[in-house]
Structures are given as C-alpha cells and as structure tokens.
Amino acid sequence: MTTTFHRLLLVVSWLFIGQTAFAQKPAAIYPGELWPDSEGNHIQAHGGGILKIKKTYYWYGEERRKGLDPDFRYVSCYASDDLVHWKFKGDALKLSEPDSAGKTWVLERPKVFYNGKTKKFVMYFHLDGPGPEGGRSSYKLARVGTAISDKPEGPFTYVRSFRPLGLESRDIGQFVDDDGSAYLVFESRPSKGFYIASLSADYLNVEKEVSFIRSPLEGGAIVHYEGLYYAIGSALTGWRANPNKYATATSLAGPWSEFTDIAPPEANTYGSQSTMMVKVTGTKTTTVIFLADIWKPATQWDSRYLWMPLEIGGGKLRLPAPRPWTLNIKTGEAAIIP
Ligand code: DGJ
C-alpha cells in the first residue's frame, strides 16, 4: 500500500516538476520548434504573411492541420499583439475547387492586404492545379486567386483567379512600402525571374510592372530599410531547402545588385525557405525579421517556422544561426537568449 502510494507521489511530483519547467520556458520565438498557439496547438500558417492593423498583427498562412476536409483548401488567421503569442481566429478562407483547377489543385502562400480606401481586406494566393485537361502536375495553371472580406479574420469570399499581367505566376510575396503602396511579388518561370508589380486602387488587380528581377528565385520577400530595398529569394528546388540569396536597390524599380548568400551556403538557410520580411519599428530601434518555413513535405502539418532577426544595414544582410530570441514590441529590440 505504502509502496503504491509512494510511487503515485513520485509520478505526481515528476509531472508537477515537468509542468513547471514547461510553464517557465521564457516567452520567446524558438526557431524550428513546435509553436503552440493560445490553445496549445502548433500554429498552422505555412508560407504565410503578416498584416498589421493598428496594434494587432495578423498572421495568415496555409492551414495544413490533420483532419481537414480534402475537398477544400484552407487559409488560417492568427492574431497577436507581440508577434510571439498567437490566437487562432479561425479559417479565414475555406475554398472548394475554383475555376476547374483540377482535383489536385493547390492553394499556397496566402497574403492579405488592407485597402484603406475601400476598407476591405484583400487576399492573394498562389492558385495552381492541373486545370480542366487534367494531368499529373498540380502546378500547370500558374495563377493567383483573390478573395475579399470586411474583417481581418474573414470569412473571405473568393473573387476570381488570373495570371498577373498575363504572366505565369507561382510563389507570391507581398510588399507594402513605407508610403503605403502595395505590391505583389511573383515568380514567373518562362521569364526566368520575378516581378514586383503594383496593385490597382481597389487592390483587386495587379496593374503595373514596377521591377523585373532576372534571377530564377521564388519565395520572394522585400523590405525597405534605411533608404535601401532588400529582396530575398530562394532557388527553385521544390520543398528542399537551398541557400537563399539577397540583392539591394536604391529604388524598387532597380537596378538591383547581384544576389549574395544570406547565410553560409552549406547551411542551406538552416533548412528553411523565405516567405516574408517584417519590419518592427519601436521607440528605440527597428528590427527586421526574416520569416521562413521549414517544410516537411510528407507531414506538412508538422512543418516549422524559422523566424530570426536579421543583421541588416549599409547594403549588407545576414541571417544569423537560429537560436531562441525575444522581441520587445514596444522598443523594437530583439535579443538572443544566451
Ligand atoms: C516551392 C515553393 O516555394 C512552395 O511554396 C511550394 O510550391 C513547393 N515549391 C512545391 O514543390
């Protein structure tokens, strides 16, 4: 009896110690680890993008949790006021096969813009599939899809799909400049490069080519920092990581410099692929965060995130080796946990 009681006590104490240790893990960003939302579920916002409305950050991405209805594709929405703690706001978009895209159609890399004039939230995503003729490739259509909502968390209503500027478009990225101008970044295989294109006044169309960067790169991410534009891209290696590279320009229209590695090339971007750069300007400093996905193609729901503050300035950009770090959203300061 006593032995059983003691054993039970031991188990309970172990559980307690374990829980306390877990609870005491400092509030930080842990690149590559599971990232629990406020309900303890791993965040499902892959190939994602961030939109800031007043003091709230919204994180949209491919939702790939287990048990989703295979007849639909889902875009998730999470909200946070510090970029560290995230609350799941639900499925911003739940879409069944649009425009005869084909049974194996894909929805990737959703990005949401807020249009202050129309007061609408406009979502862009890479829409692809074999198309009406079918076939084995799910990447034949090469279009963007758009969806619209009155609220950041949705529900978004599908609008249409098209090829931006009439061009094949696969990975997309989003860039909003300091003056509020909104751009879609898209990779176009036949042109062997990627485009930066401005949106129409209502954001529902891609209107004008601003820059074409002749470099076969996807996962395009752009930031405007201390008077320079920095563009990051990833080589066309499917889900496999590769050394992501960056170029700079004094004007968004270019000319752009040559592309250089953002990290030691043998590190393969520490197993990740770029999706966006986010600039956090606080009372003391500005931090630019590199947002990337660590894809797990066979177990997509378990794909991880690599978010790290970049060393950036004077035309140089470097992604440091991933380590846990904290962000002070008020001051803008990032600190690596020693
Ligand atoms: C690389 C892209 O960046 C991803 O979004 C996805 O399309 C994979 N290719 C598919 O192989």
Side-chain angles (χ1 to χ4, degrees):
M1 197 56 189
T2 325
T3 340
T4 319
F5 175 74
H6 278 135
R7 270 200 206 117
L8 197 68
L9 204 66
L10 205 67
V11 169
V12 170
S13 341
W14 262 103
L15 279 175
F16 180 74
I17 292 165
Q19 291 248 328
T20 318
F22 185 72
Q24 279 173 356
K25 201 173 171 188
I29 292 177
Y30 295 86
E33 293 191 20
L34 286 170
W35 193 338
D37 66 9
S38 55
E39 279 157 37
N41 301 312
H42 179 47
I43 292 176
Q44 293 292 325
H46 313 286
I50 302 283
L51 173 71
K52 189 181 179 204
I53 300 291
K54 297 193 178 125
K55 287 192 166 172
T56 305
Y57 290 90
Y58 293 92
W59 180 0
Y60 301 90
E62 299 160 25
E63 189 177 337
R64 294 183 180 274
R65 74 185 140 84
K66 281 195 210 166
L68 291 173
D69 184 335
D71 287 339
F72 293 88
R73 305 291 179 267
Y74 297 75
V75 176
S76 56
C77 174
Y78 293 80
S80 170
D81 54 16
D82 62 6
L83 288 170
V84 177
H85 300 89
W86 293 93
K87 186 175 168 39
F88 181 50
K89 303 290 282 181
D91 305 331
L93 178 70
K94 180 180 173 188
L95 189 63
S96 60
E97 182 192 330
D99 306 345
S100 310
K103 212 170 164 38
T104 58
W105 71 285
V106 294
L107 186 165
E108 292 179 350
R109 298 183 175 264
K111 306 281 178 281
V112 174
F113 298 88
Y114 176 65
N115 189 308
K117 286 181 224 114
T118 62
K119 308 247 179 301
K120 301 279 185 199
F121 294 84
V122 178
M123 182 188 292
Y124 276 76
F125 49 88
H126 171 198
L127 171 62
D128 226 321
E133 301 101 58
R136 282 177 52 200
S137 171
S138 293
Y139 292 93
K140 252 167 67 184
L141 288 182
R143 300 165 80 91
V144 291
T146 50
I148 195 162
S149 168
D150 292 328
K151 289 186 285 169
E153 68 272 25
F156 281 77
T157 308
Y158 180 67
V159 180
R160 67 180 182 124
S161 76
F162 60 98
R163 283 187 166 174
L165 310 174
L167 298 162
E168 285 194 18
S169 164
R170 290 193 171 80
D171 275 10
I172 61 160
Q174 154 185 41
F175 174 60
V176 178
D177 209 340
D178 297 341
D179 65 1
S181 321
Y183 303 88
L184 188 77
V185 181
F186 63 96
E187 183 263 321
S188 199
R189 224 53 51 116
S191 319
K192 296 192 170 54
F194 63 95
Y195 291 87
I196 303 169
S198 54
L199 302 182
S200 58
D202 61 6
Y203 289 6
L204 286 168
N205 205 356
V206 178
E207 209 161 62
K208 190 170 163 275
E209 174 185 327
V210 171
S211 191
F212 170 65
I213 307 185
R214 192 176 297 281
S215 226
L217 295 171
E218 58 184 12
I222 295 174
V223 72
H224 191 180
Y225 179 74
E226 291 181 346
L228 261 190
Y229 291 91
Y230 295 75
I232 292 186
S234 142
L236 311 177
T237 59
W239 300 112
R240 275 178 301 114
N242 58 67
N244 290 191
K245 295 181 187 298
Y246 79 96
T248 58
T250 48
S251 153
L252 200 55
W256 289 86
S257 70
E258 289 296 307
F259 277 86
T260 316
D261 293 319
I262 67 169
E266 63 280 8
N268 270 337
T269 321
Y270 305 104
S272 73
Q273 184 190 24
S274 55
T275 187
M276 197 178 212
M277 281 185 274
V278 170
K279 190 163 77 170
V280 177
T281 301
T283 51
K284 288 200 181 146
T285 191
T286 295
T287 290
V288 178
I289 311 171
F290 175 69
L291 272 56
D293 296 281
I294 299 177
W295 296 111
K296 298 201 181 180
T299 49
Q300 283 281 12
W301 57 89
D302 190 35
S303 294
R304 309 291 171 88
Y305 311 98
L306 188 155
W307 287 23
M308 275 302 286
L310 288 167
E311 291 169 15
I312 187 170
K316 298 262 177 281
L317 178 155
R318 188 180 155 267
L319 170 67
R323 271 172 299 164
W325 60 284
T326 57
L327 176 68
N328 184 327
I329 207 75
K330 290 208 177 76
T331 64
E333 293 166 303
I336 304 284
I337 299 181

